[in-house]
Amino acid sequence: MSGIGGIVLAGRGKIELRELERMCNALRPYGPDRQQSLVRPGIGMLHSLMRITPEDFFEHQPLAAPSGILLCADARIDNRQELAGKLSIHPAQLKTLPDSHLILKAYEHWGEACPEHLLGDFAFAIWDPREQKLFMARDHFGVRSLNYCHKGDFFAFSNDIKALLALPQISDELNQQKLAEFAVLLHANASASFYQDISRLPAGHSLTLVNNKLRLRRYYRLEDNIQDVYYAKHEEYAEALKEQLNQAVLCRLRSAYPIGCELSGGLDSTSVAGLAAIELAKQGKSLETFTAVPPLGYKGAQRRGWELDERPYVQAFSDHYRNINIKVNTNYFAVDPAEQNLFSILEETFSRDGFPGRSVNTTWVGLLGKQAHNKGIRVMLNGGMGNATISWSGKCLYSELLQQGRWAAWCHAVYQTRREQHCSLKSLLAKSVTPFIPDPLWAGYRRIRDRQPTPWSSHSLLNPEMAQQQNIASRYTELGSDPYYRPLANGRDNRIRQLLKMSPVDSHHKNSAMRALTGVERRDPTLDKRLVEFCFGIGEAQYCRNGNDRTLIRQAMKGVLPEVILHRKSKGMQPPHFSNHFHEPASELWQQLEQLKNSEQASQFLDLPRMEKMLQRSLQGQTTEAELGVLKRSLKRAYSIGGFICYVNGSND
C-alpha cells in the first residue's frame, strides 16, 4: 500500500522541495514504513510505503532506472508469473522483485501499452526523460485512485486528493457541477472531482503529458472484453465460476502479514472467506473475520425480507471451518446507532476523504479495519461487488425473454418464480415490461405516482434553481444514466452500468482514503478483471433457474458454505440501516440546519426550506417506518453536502 505523488514543471523548471514536503506530510498516513522523494530537472516524485506483500520489504520507490526513467506506484500486480515469463525475469529474481519493478519493466518492454498487460489494482506514474514525458495509468475498474491538476506550466498528481490540496498552486474552490450531480446520486462523470482545479483519471485510462499537453486514452473497455460463456450443463457453469473465484481469492492472499476478511451472513463475503479459509488451512494458517452487528437484543428498523442481526449465519459459517475462530469480543463489532453522532462522523469523513459521502455512516468499515490492524492484519478481504458478479440474481431474465420473443419460456419462468418465491404476478409483469416503456411515458407515470416535480426530488434536497443552473436533467442523458434508475432489458448492460456509471465510481476513492486511516488494504476478489468478464459472459438463465434467483453461486459453493447460508432467502442489513430514526438531540439537528442557513453557498445549493419541513416531519414521527428511512437518508445526505461546503469554506470554525 502506497501514497504517491509528484510535480512536473514545463521547461524543466525547478521543483521546490518544500512543496514536495507538503505532499509528503499529507501522504504520511499511507507510509509508516518508509517515505522518500526524488527530484530531477522538471520533475519531483514521492512515495510513502506501508509494507504488505513479502516483496514490499525490497521496495525502494521512487524507482530510478539506469535509463533515467522514474516511477512511483501504488499497486498490487496479480499476474506476476505471467509477466516474468514475457519479460524474461528469472524465477529466483521474481521472489524478491517488488510489483513496482514489474511495472517499470513492462513499460520498458511495451511502452504506453503496458497497462493492457497488467492484472491487479494499480495506479502509477512514470517519467521518461528521453521524451520528457509523464505517463500515468489507473487499473481497469479504478480500485486505486489517481488525481491530477494541470494549470499553465504546472502539473501535479497524487492518489490522495489531500496531497494536491496541500499545494499553494491548487485552489479548494468547489466544483458545483460535480457536487450537484452527487446530490442527486448521479455518479457517472468519472473525470470530475469535487474541486475545480483537480481531475480524476478514470478507471481503465492512461494519461500522457508531453510538451505541457495532455492526452487521455481509454486502454480498457469492459464491453469489448466480454466473451459469451457456454457449457452443456448448469453444474459446469458452477464449477467454472468456483474456479474463477478461487483464482481471484488466491492471488489476493499474497501478504507478509495475517489475512482478515469482512464477513456478513450473505453469499458474497462467505464465499470469499470460505475459499480463503480452505487455502490458508493448507498453509497451516487461520483466517480472522470481522463482522458489524447491532447490540444484542437491539430492536431497530424492520424491513420485509431483511434481517437485522446476522450472528446466527456468521456462527454457522465459523462452525464450518476449524481455522476460523469467531470470538464475541474481538471478531464481532457491535454498532449502536444511538452512539453514532452524525456530525462527528461527517467531520471525520471530510477530513479523511476530502469529499462528502453518499452513505454517510461508513465509519463501521473503518472501525473493522482498525480492529483488524490491532491484531497485526494488513489485508482485509471482502465481497463488495459480489451482487453484480458472482451472486447476480438473474433479475433481467424476464425482460430478456420478452425481448427475444420467447413467450412460452417467459410464461414458464413466471410460473416457476411465482411458485418458488411467492411473487405476485404484478411484480413479475413490472420486471418484464418496465424496461420497454418509452422514456416520456415512464417519466409522466412517475411524476403522477410520486407526486414529485423531478425524478430526484424524492431522495435529494438539491435547490431547484441550482439543478436548473447545472443542467442536471440533461446531464443524465449526456452521461448515459437514468434518473429513475429503471432497469435495462439486458442483464449484461445492467451490470456494466452498475459497475461503471453508478456509486463505485466515487466509492473507490473513499476506499483508497480509508486505507490510510486504518493501515489495512481492502481487497475484493469479486472485482477481479478475469472474474468480472467471465460472470458478465454468462446468460441470465444460469443465474435464475427453476424460479429461484442466485442459483449459480449457490450451486458453485456447495460444500464450501453451510446449507443455512446456501439456501438463505433473506438479506442482511448493514449498520447504516439498523435504525430509521435520528439519535442526535433535536437541538443539535436544528442548530446544524441554522449553520447551513448562515452559509450563503449552502443556502444556494440546498433547498433549505424543504429540508426544514422534512426535518420537522422526521422528528414528529408521524410517518411510517419506511417513510422515516427515506426522510432520514435524504436529510443525512443534505447535512453531508451542506456540511462539506461549510467545511471547505471554513464556516465550521
Side-chain angles (χ1 to χ4, degrees):
M1 183 177 82
S2 301
I4 62 172
I7 298 173
V8 178
L9 297 179
R12 297 166 67 87
K14 182 182 178 182
I15 303 295
E16 296 290 341
L17 289 178
R18 64 176 177 272
E19 293 180 359
L20 285 180
E21 289 173 0
R22 287 177 174 176
M23 297 183 77
C24 272
N25 288 335
L27 294 174
R28 197 172 300 279
Y30 285 89
D33 296 327
R34 186 176 184 273
Q35 281 197 307
Q36 188 67 41
S37 60
L38 189 152
V39 178
R40 296 288 187 271
I43 175 76
M45 281 188 175
L46 55 95
H47 181 256
S48 188
L49 172 69
M50 173 178 283
R51 298 186 181 98
I52 293 182
T53 69
E55 299 81 13
D56 283 343
F57 288 85
F58 303 93
E59 184 68 271
H60 294 283
Q61 291 191 53
L63 293 182
S67 61
I69 294 176
L70 308 180
L71 175 143
C72 60
D74 173 25
R76 189 200 70 254
I77 302 301
D78 293 333
N79 60 330
R80 288 171 56 86
Q81 296 287 346
E82 177 191 358
L83 288 172
K86 292 180 178 180
L87 299 172
S88 301
I89 299 171
H90 193 276
Q93 182 187 5
L94 185 64
K95 288 182 179 180
T96 58
L97 196 69
D99 291 343
S100 59
H101 287 254
L102 282 172
I103 296 172
L104 178 59
K105 289 180 179 294
Y107 175 79
E108 291 174 333
H109 187 78
W110 290 296
E112 293 186 17
C114 67
E116 300 164 34
H117 298 269
L118 303 176
L119 282 173
D121 304 336
F122 56 82
F124 64 83
I126 292 174
W127 174 253
D128 192 334
R130 299 168 298 187
E131 302 178 55
Q132 291 292 293
K133 174 179 74 177
L134 181 74
F135 176 71
M136 308 197 312
R138 189 175 173 204
D139 63 71
H140 306 84
F141 299 128
V143 176
R144 300 294 167 96
S145 297
L146 199 49
N147 312 282
Y148 65 92
C149 171
H150 187 209
K151 296 175 71 175
D153 293 340
F154 172 86
F155 183 92
F157 66 88
S158 178
N159 63 339
D160 192 304
I161 210 162
K162 297 187 296 298
L164 295 177
L165 292 171
L167 296 171
Q169 297 92 336
I170 299 178
S171 166
D172 64 359
E173 180 184 353
L174 293 175
N175 182 345
Q176 290 196 340
Q177 181 72 60
K178 173 64 178 177
L179 202 56
E181 291 171 8
F182 182 80
V184 299
L185 306 183
L186 176 56
H187 301 278
N189 187 353
S191 299
S193 83
F194 291 89
Y195 300 91
Q196 285 282 14
D197 282 354
I198 300 174
S199 299
R200 294 170 171 175
L201 184 62
H205 281 67
S206 64
L207 177 152
T208 304
L209 177 70
V210 181
N211 295 326
N212 205 33
K213 294 180 180 179
L214 284 182
R215 182 179 77 251
L216 264 68
R217 180 177 75 92
R218 186 175 180 181
Y219 71 84
Y220 176 74
R221 292 179 60 89
L222 174 59
E223 305 91 317
D224 298 338
N225 286 272
I226 300 171
Q227 303 293 325
D228 290 336
V229 176
Y230 295 108
Y231 291 101
K233 299 179 180 179
H234 179 66
E235 290 76 14
E236 292 176 331
Y237 284 94
E239 185 59 34
L241 173 60
K242 182 179 179 181
E243 290 176 6
Q244 289 283 341
L245 180 57
N246 194 53
Q247 174 183 240
V249 170
L250 292 185
C251 67
R252 283 163 177 78
L253 295 179
R254 182 163 59 102
S255 174
Y257 299 88
I259 301 288
C261 185
E262 296 170 12
L263 186 65
S264 70
L267 286 166
D268 300 323
S269 64
T270 52
S271 296
V272 169
L275 293 175
I278 291 170
E279 176 60 27
L280 290 172
K282 296 175 184 176
Q283 304 173 23
K285 298 178 181 178
S286 61
L287 176 70
E288 288 277 356
T289 62
F290 300 87
T291 304
V293 293
L296 283 170
Y298 183 78
K299 304 295 183 183
Q302 301 297 318
R303 187 177 173 188
R304 185 178 179 183
W306 294 73
E307 293 187 59
L308 192 63
D309 192 340
E310 296 192 278
R311 284 181 178 91
Y313 299 102
V314 173
Q315 192 59 53
F317 177 79
S318 172
D319 294 342
H320 207 65
Y321 291 97
R322 293 182 178 180
N323 61 332
I324 295 180
N325 183 23
I326 302 291
K327 297 178 181 177
V328 173
N329 295 329
T330 59
N331 297 85
Y332 287 123
F333 189 87
V335 179
D336 187 345
E339 297 177 358
Q340 306 288 307
N341 184 275
L342 169 64
F343 304 105
S344 297
I345 290 170
L346 291 178
E347 284 284 337
E348 179 184 321
T349 299
F350 305 150
S351 174
R352 180 191 68 226
D353 302 341
F355 50 87
R358 171 181 169 135
S359 178
V360 173
N361 186 4
T362 56
T363 55
W364 62 278
V365 178
L367 293 172
L368 292 184
K370 288 179 179 178
Q371 199 168 352
H373 185 74
N374 291 338
K375 302 183 84 168
I377 290 168
R378 292 194 177 187
V379 170
M380 187 86 98
L381 302 177
N382 69 84
M385 288 306 300
N387 285 340
T389 56
I390 62 173
S391 67
W392 178 247
S393 65
K395 65 181 180 181
C396 299
L397 173 65
Y398 316 99
S399 54
E400 282 193 4
L401 291 174
L402 285 186
Q403 191 176 46
Q404 296 162 7
R406 298 171 59 191
W407 295 97
W410 177 83
C411 289
H412 186 62
V414 168
Y415 168 76
Q416 287 184 315
T417 304
R418 291 195 68 195
R419 182 189 64 192
E420 295 296 325
Q421 299 188 37
H422 308 291
C423 297
S424 68
L425 180 60
K426 180 181 177 181
S427 67
L428 292 174
L429 284 171
K431 283 184 178 182
S432 303
V433 304
T434 295
F436 304 108
I437 298 174
D439 291 346
L441 188 60
W442 180 256
Y445 161 71
R446 288 295 300 267
R447 279 196 298 270
I448 295 171
R449 193 196 75 173
D450 300 342
R451 299 180 182 179
Q452 298 288 353
T454 67
W456 53 85
S457 296
S458 60
H459 60 262
S460 172
L461 284 163
L462 180 65
N463 190 321
E465 293 181 5
M466 180 61 69
Q468 188 173 10
Q469 180 182 329
Q470 301 300 331
N471 300 312
I472 291 300
S474 61
R475 286 294 286 167
Y476 276 99
T477 303
E478 292 169 13
L479 295 170
S481 293
D482 180 0
Y484 294 104
Y485 303 100
R486 189 163 42 139
L488 303 172
N490 180 271
R492 182 181 298 178
D493 292 341
N494 262 295
R495 300 159 86 184
I496 291 173
R497 182 177 70 175
Q498 183 175 334
L499 206 61
L500 302 182
K501 291 184 178 294
M502 299 183 78
S503 58
V505 173
D506 288 320
S507 64
H508 288 317
H509 294 271
K510 177 178 289 290
N511 290 336
S512 183
M514 186 73 76
R515 295 180 301 159
L517 171 73
T518 62
V520 171
E521 181 175 286
R522 300 177 77 215
R523 297 178 180 175
D524 184 0
T526 65
L527 197 52
D528 182 274
K529 174 180 176 290
R530 297 158 296 187
L531 178 69
V532 171
E533 293 172 358
F534 174 80
C535 289
F536 283 25
I538 297 175
E540 293 291 283
Q542 299 303 323
Y543 293 102
C544 183
R545 286 175 58 84
N546 303 320
N548 292 303
D549 61 6
R550 306 180 195 276
T551 50
L552 190 57
I553 188 64
R554 297 183 202 274
Q555 178 70 31
M557 290 295 106
K558 284 185 176 180
V560 175
L561 300 182
E563 293 292 313
V564 68
I565 294 177
L566 274 178
H567 302 295
R568 181 183 178 186
K569 297 294 185 182
S570 63
K571 297 180 180 180
M573 290 187 184
Q574 292 185 335
H577 306 124
F578 283 175
S579 173
N580 288 328
H581 298 266
F582 280 109
H583 294 276
E584 294 75 16
S587 59
E588 186 176 13
L589 293 165
W590 288 115
Q591 180 185 2
Q592 292 291 333
L593 180 55
E594 286 301 315
Q595 287 192 22
L596 298 184
K597 290 180 180 179
N598 293 332
S599 166
E600 182 179 355
Q601 192 171 359
S603 299
Q604 292 173 349
F605 206 89
L606 295 171
D607 189 346
L608 294 181
R610 183 164 168 251
M611 184 176 177
E612 187 171 1
K613 292 177 182 178
M614 289 179 69
L615 180 60
Q616 187 70 48
R617 284 182 61 204
S618 177
L619 294 176
Q620 285 175 345
Q622 298 175 351
T623 57
T624 65
E625 278 289 309
E627 289 173 326
L628 270 178
V630 173
L631 287 173
K632 181 183 176 184
R633 287 191 291 274
S634 298
L635 286 166
K636 288 175 83 170
R637 277 194 290 268
Y639 276 123
S640 175
I641 293 168
F644 175 66
I645 292 171
C646 294
Y647 178 86
V648 172
N649 293 336
S651 298
N652 286 337
D653 294 338

